[in-house]
Amino acid sequence: MTGSRTTPLRTLALTAAVLATALLAAIIGFTAPLALPPDDPLPPLVRFVTAVTLFGLAQLARLRFRTATGMVSITWGEAALIVCLHLVPPGWLPAATLLGAGLAWLGMSIAADRRPVVDLLYITGSLTGAVALGAVVATGLGRPFGADLTPVMALALIAGAATYLLASTGLGGLGLALRHGLPLGAPLLAALRGKLLMFVGNVVVGLVVVALLQLDPRWLLLLPAPLWLLQQTYRYRLRADEERRIWRAFAEATSALNQLDERGVALAGVRGALGLFGAELVEVDVSREDGRVRRYRGDASGRIVERDLPPGPAAGGGEQELTRSLDVGTTHIGELRVRFPRTARPGPRERDALAAYSDALAAALHDAATHRELRQLTARSSYDAVHDALTSLVNRAALLARGDQVLRRLTHDHPVALLVLDLNQFKEVNDTLGHVAGDELLRLTAARLGEIARPGDLLARLGGDEFALLMTSVPVRADLVAPRSYALRQAREMVERLAAPTEVAGVRISVEASVGVVVAGAGTADMTELLRRADIAMYQAKSGGTSVAEYDPATDAASTDQLALLAELREALAVDDQLVLALQPAVDLDTGAPTGVEALIRWRHPRRGFLTPADFMRPVEASEQLGAFTRYVVDKALGVAAQWAGEGLDVPISINLSARSLLDPRLPAVIGEALRRHQVPPERLVLEITETVVMSELKVIDEVLATLRSMGVQLAVDDFGTGFSSLTFLTRVTVDELKVDRSFVIRMADSPEAAAIVRTTVGLARELGLRVVAEGVETAEQRAALAELGCTSAQGYHFFKPMPADKITAVLGSLLDSAKAPVFPLRADGAS
């Protein structure tokens, strides 16, 4: 067995010990007394030369195969040992091996291998020592020299051959293990597996030769042809085993590349190449945008180091090294370099395998880079979704979400204060000095308010010229007198700081503001309610001509109004003629065919007039009537879908689900019963999941969604790209459709970031096998831009406004008929 890399100190020490042992065995063997028969027909020199020749030929007829530690050679050594044990005194065998094997390996090294002298000495010494051990075992069991081939003698010869196998394999594996710093087991098992079949054949051949020598040596003339066939059989078997190993290693190496970060892919690429090619050194260079290179370098010991390199070409490694450029299309990713051992030069098979492996590595690195860019875009989108672009303060949505988290962490009676501030005459600043000056004033206001905020407080821009400050570090007293005084004092300080003269757009001005204050226990109201109360107080300050006003429950009629609204909703659910569906189709951008219909609920209130969900959904979601309301909407929508099916229209219908509805484990059963009652296939129902659901990680919601998915109901993520955890959600729950938020669609033409998010969402949906629908398309330019970005489906006023159920059937039929025509003139005129 041969190695692929030397480690001088360890290799020299081991080589010296093995060679000294071999020389000692040869000397001791020659000093042992001879037992040649007096009528021996062969002179002693002939017997010795025969042994030298047999051991040399046995090594020359070697077969080699590649392993993870280099090239392994297997020979006819066992057959030569068995024959020589019969023909030559056992004491001569170590010297004959030393001379015959040494000359054979020297010739092979000069002709092909170019092995170092240390390697040749170690191989020769190992084989000599193995022969000496085999001769001792065989002689101890049966003294086979010149003896008849009896069963006992055959067992002695077999035992000697087995000893030679184990000794030569063990010494070869030890050499490889020391060179590469690997455990002994790996190279030892590889050699034994490769040699097992040949060992059996060697033993049989050796015994047959001994038998023929005793019977009639002329029978040996028949052996060359069978031996040649046996050699070809061994070669074919080794080649087949190596092919299987290579494909198995290739599959494992490429499977390990399936990671989402560059470093993980590169490290897996180095390890995979080391194992796949039996390389002594592998380097993966990953190019960076700044021209620098990140190099991952691993050797046969499994140790991998990484470092940054300056720009510049890498040095070549000669005929022992293969270099492959890592490219995906026209994009250059980096380079892969594999250095093969000196005794295992790469051939066409290794070049082909390297080409395939480098393509897989390049694709994995490219995917990792794409995922990194997507994560960055998502992080930026998530940041933008919760921050105001002008002032960098959190926005209204983040104030509500984070504020509720803060409230839940506090005790029920812990006082908190919410201050809502509005700038007076801000419109006049915009109209007089321009919007640039107005933006400057808003940034100045945010900076001054930030000086008032204390650690733990939450400062936000609600929109326009409105700001809010949630204060949690307020004095704690049971009667709330001290917290109220503190909050009012902070509000007056806000007003005073903003009133300090400042220069905006070259004009010195003083800013006046109105502040509404509400103080409550953390467990008595959520952020939405606190914000509503503070907003009412702010308008009280503005209308009353004061700068600061505290919330007065006596002037707040909204609470009773909401109670009345919920009572009226109960009546509306009972009469079945006030809550109606407004249906808005989504169309294929290429053909104009309908891809789905979104069901939107409307309330034709007998006293309040026509109400949209924004007018009544918030109190409904917070009430016990949410379940009945959800069942009502599902029933209405499935009734419409059943009517379509009766008229031959196979179009899915979408329903928006509240996050709180998904907290009910009974929801899948309710929807399943409604599907059976209306005889609507589950795949025609699409449930749109709101932003709050995407951000949630509640186990009950995931279980409800998984149950609905197993029923065949389709799931869609609404407003995709605006949430904190949209991508994480896709790894938890399988969905069918992504809906691009209208805010990105509207800003595509003016915002490269918005266009990039739309493009990324479309690409992600395509990679995951999902549908993608763009919402809020209002112009032909937006439609064209979406088509250019690869979006296939969209909905919005450019196509159709939401329409009553009695009109939607005709529209869908018309769309399906028109989609079959060569040209589809899609218009929004008169759609509703």
Side-chain angles (χ1 to χ4, degrees):
M1 182 163 28
T2 64
S4 62
R5 184 183 178 214
T6 61
T7 304
L9 292 179
R10 291 183 295 184
T11 302
L12 287 174
L14 180 62
T15 301
V18 170
L19 188 59
T21 303
L23 291 172
L24 183 62
I27 294 172
I28 293 175
F30 262 113
T31 60
L34 295 178
L36 294 174
D39 57 346
D40 189 358
L42 295 177
L45 181 60
V46 173
R47 290 186 182 274
F48 181 76
V49 171
T50 300
V52 171
T53 303
L54 286 176
F55 282 120
L57 291 175
Q59 301 304 312
L60 290 174
R62 66 176 178 173
L63 295 172
R64 301 200 305 166
F65 62 95
R66 190 184 301 272
T67 69
T69 54
M71 296 299 292
V72 173
S73 295
I74 55 178
T75 69
W76 290 80
E78 293 84 4
L81 176 61
I82 290 175
V83 175
C84 289
L85 283 171
H86 176 72
L87 292 177
V88 182
W92 294 0
L93 296 186
T97 305
L98 191 65
L99 185 58
L103 290 174
W105 280 99
L106 179 61
M108 289 186 291
S109 178
I110 294 173
D113 292 351
R114 301 289 192 275
R115 288 180 175 275
V117 174
V118 174
D119 275 12
L120 295 177
L121 293 177
Y122 182 78
I123 293 170
T124 304
S126 299
L127 295 175
T128 302
V131 166
L133 286 175
V136 169
V137 171
T139 304
L141 293 176
R143 299 182 179 277
F145 173 57
D148 293 334
L149 187 62
T150 62
V152 173
M153 197 59 61
L155 288 177
L157 293 173
I158 294 173
T163 303
Y164 169 83
L165 169 69
L166 296 176
S168 60
T169 304
L171 288 172
L174 180 61
L176 288 176
L178 287 179
R179 287 191 188 100
H180 300 303
L182 298 173
L184 177 60
L188 186 61
L189 289 177
L192 287 175
R193 282 196 300 267
K195 186 62 184 289
L196 184 60
L197 177 63
M198 193 171 185
F199 169 76
V200 175
N202 283 354
V203 170
V204 172
V205 168
L207 295 176
V208 168
V209 170
V210 171
L212 293 178
L213 287 173
Q214 293 181 353
L215 180 62
D216 187 345
R218 288 176 295 179
W219 285 103
L220 295 178
L221 297 175
L222 301 177
L223 283 182
L227 291 180
W228 181 84
L229 291 175
L230 191 59
Q231 177 83 347
Q232 300 308 309
T233 301
Y234 293 156
R235 178 176 286 109
Y236 174 80
R237 172 66 181 272
L238 288 175
R239 186 174 299 168
D241 289 344
E242 188 171 3
E243 289 290 343
R244 284 194 294 270
R245 182 196 70 80
I246 289 176
W247 282 113
R248 183 167 56 250
F250 185 86
E252 293 173 354
T254 52
S255 176
L257 299 177
N258 187 23
Q259 303 189 44
L260 295 182
D261 64 290
E262 173 200 289
R263 183 175 184 272
V265 173
L267 293 178
V270 172
R271 296 190 188 98
L274 286 170
L276 177 61
F277 301 108
E280 68 175 17
L281 185 69
V282 172
E283 291 178 343
V284 174
D285 289 350
V286 181
S287 301
R288 298 294 173 84
E289 294 180 357
D290 59 0
R292 298 181 66 85
V293 173
R294 183 69 170 175
R295 171 167 293 175
Y296 301 84
R297 178 188 179 107
D299 57 25
S301 68
R303 185 173 63 94
I304 301 178
V305 296
E306 49 186 291
R307 59 183 178 133
D308 289 322
L309 302 177
E319 62 179 359
Q320 295 300 123
E321 183 174 291
L322 294 182
T323 301
R324 181 83 177 182
S325 179
L326 302 177
D327 300 306
V328 176
T330 59
T331 303
H332 179 67
I333 309 298
E335 281 189 343
L336 170 64
R337 280 182 297 280
V338 179
R339 186 187 301 167
F340 291 80
R342 182 182 307 177
T343 59
R345 291 187 179 90
R349 181 170 50 186
E350 284 72 35
R351 296 178 188 276
D352 293 341
L354 182 66
Y357 184 71
S358 62
D359 288 343
L361 178 58
L365 288 171
H366 184 266
D367 289 345
T370 302
H371 279 287
R372 182 180 67 249
E373 294 173 3
L374 182 60
R375 287 194 298 270
Q376 292 171 349
L377 281 174
T378 304
R380 183 63 189 175
S381 173
S382 298
Y383 180 87
D384 291 342
V386 297
H387 286 83
D388 172 53
L390 182 64
T391 63
S392 297
L393 299 178
V394 297
N395 59 18
R396 178 187 291 269
L399 175 68
L400 294 175
R402 298 181 185 180
D404 280 334
Q405 294 175 0
V406 171
L407 295 181
R408 285 193 293 269
R409 287 197 296 265
L410 299 175
T411 60
H412 185 275
D413 295 328
H414 186 95
V416 295
L418 182 63
L419 283 59
V420 172
L421 176 145
D422 180 84
L423 301 181
N424 299 334
Q425 290 84 44
F426 179 72
K427 184 176 183 298
E428 285 75 3
V429 174
N430 271 336
D431 294 342
T432 305
L433 302 179
H435 289 281
V436 174
D439 291 346
E440 184 180 347
L441 178 58
L442 291 173
R443 284 191 290 266
L444 175 65
T445 301
R448 289 185 172 181
L449 295 179
E451 296 172 356
I452 299 175
R454 302 175 61 181
D457 293 346
L458 190 58
L459 178 63
R461 181 189 175 198
L462 301 179
D465 58 342
E466 282 193 353
F467 296 83
L469 178 63
L470 176 64
M471 299 188 301
T472 58
S473 302
V474 297
V476 179
R477 276 183 49 179
D479 57 6
L480 289 183
V481 173
R484 289 167 57 194
S485 299
Y486 175 81
L488 291 171
R489 187 167 60 250
Q490 292 295 98
R492 295 188 185 98
E493 184 179 350
M494 277 186 177
V495 174
E496 292 173 1
R497 285 194 179 232
L498 294 179
T502 186
E503 188 174 290
V504 176
V507 178
R508 194 166 181 79
I509 62 174
S510 178
V511 180
E512 295 181 357
S514 300
V515 182
V517 179
V518 60
V519 178
T524 60
D526 61 9
M527 276 301 301
T528 301
E529 178 62 18
L530 289 179
L531 188 58
R532 187 189 66 81
R533 295 176 187 178
D535 203 50
I536 291 174
M538 184 269 293
Y539 280 106
Q540 289 173 351
K542 192 178 287 288
S543 61
T546 61
S547 58
V548 176
E550 186 180 6
Y551 170 72
D552 183 2
T555 63
D556 183 8
S559 298
T560 56
D561 185 68
Q562 286 187 5
L563 293 175
L565 187 68
L566 291 174
E568 293 162 355
L569 176 64
R570 186 177 292 108
E571 296 176 2
L573 292 172
V575 299
D576 197 31
D577 65 350
Q578 295 183 21
L579 296 171
V580 295
L581 292 182
L583 303 167
Q584 186 177 32
V587 300
D588 188 289
L589 292 178
D590 290 330
T591 66
T595 60
V597 176
E598 183 175 4
L600 307 168
I601 196 70
R602 299 289 187 265
W603 189 355
R604 292 188 298 210
H605 198 283
R607 180 173 56 85
R608 301 173 187 258
F610 197 76
L611 303 180
T612 66
D615 300 317
F616 61 89
M617 275 309 300
R618 185 174 295 277
V620 171
E621 288 180 338
S623 71
E624 295 299 323
Q625 295 191 51
L626 178 61
F629 179 83
T630 302
R631 289 193 296 272
Y632 183 95
V633 175
V634 170
D635 190 76
K636 280 279 189 182
L638 292 180
V640 172
Q643 180 182 350
W644 295 345
E647 298 182 17
L649 297 175
D650 184 8
V651 180
I653 190 166
S654 302
I655 304 173
N656 285 286
L657 274 188
S658 163
R660 190 161 166 263
S661 296
L662 294 170
L663 291 172
D664 185 0
R666 298 168 297 180
L667 178 64
V670 170
I671 293 179
E673 194 279 330
L675 288 168
R676 287 189 296 272
R677 187 171 66 254
H678 290 284
Q679 297 183 356
V680 174
E683 61 270 14
R684 289 187 187 168
L685 176 61
V686 182
L687 300 178
E688 294 189 9
I689 305 165
T690 62
E691 174 100 4
T692 309
V693 176
V694 174
M695 293 167 57
S696 169
E697 293 187 3
L698 295 177
K699 182 179 179 181
V700 63
I701 290 181
D702 287 356
E703 290 175 349
V704 168
L705 291 176
T707 303
L708 290 170
R709 194 74 173 75
S710 67
M711 292 165 51
V713 175
Q714 300 191 58
L715 300 179
V717 179
D718 201 8
D719 302 333
F720 185 81
T722 62
F724 293 97
S725 307
S726 297
L727 291 177
T728 304
F729 177 80
L730 294 181
T731 65
R732 296 184 358 245
V733 178
T734 302
V735 301
D736 304 276
E737 183 178 280
L738 303 181
K739 302 195 76 172
V740 182
D741 184 64
R742 61 178 293 126
S743 62
F744 300 125
V745 175
I746 293 173
R747 294 187 288 122
M748 278 192 309
D750 302 320
S751 170
E753 291 79 10
I757 290 174
V758 176
R759 184 186 303 106
T760 302
T761 302
V762 171
L764 176 64
R766 185 182 300 111
E767 290 292 329
L768 297 179
L770 308 179
R771 301 187 303 272
V772 58
V773 180
E775 297 182 297
V777 180
E778 298 180 357
T779 65
E781 290 77 13
Q782 292 171 357
R783 176 189 177 182
L786 287 170
E788 184 178 353
L789 292 176
C791 185
T792 58
S793 183
Q795 69 181 83
Y797 280 18
H798 175 66
F799 306 109
F800 299 98
K801 296 180 180 179
M803 63 188 74
D806 56 355
K807 291 187 178 182
I808 188 70
T809 304
V811 171
L812 293 177
S814 175
L815 288 175
L816 288 171
D817 292 339
S818 301
K820 300 173 184 177
V823 178
F824 182 76
L826 189 61
R827 293 172 53 88
D829 300 344
S832 60

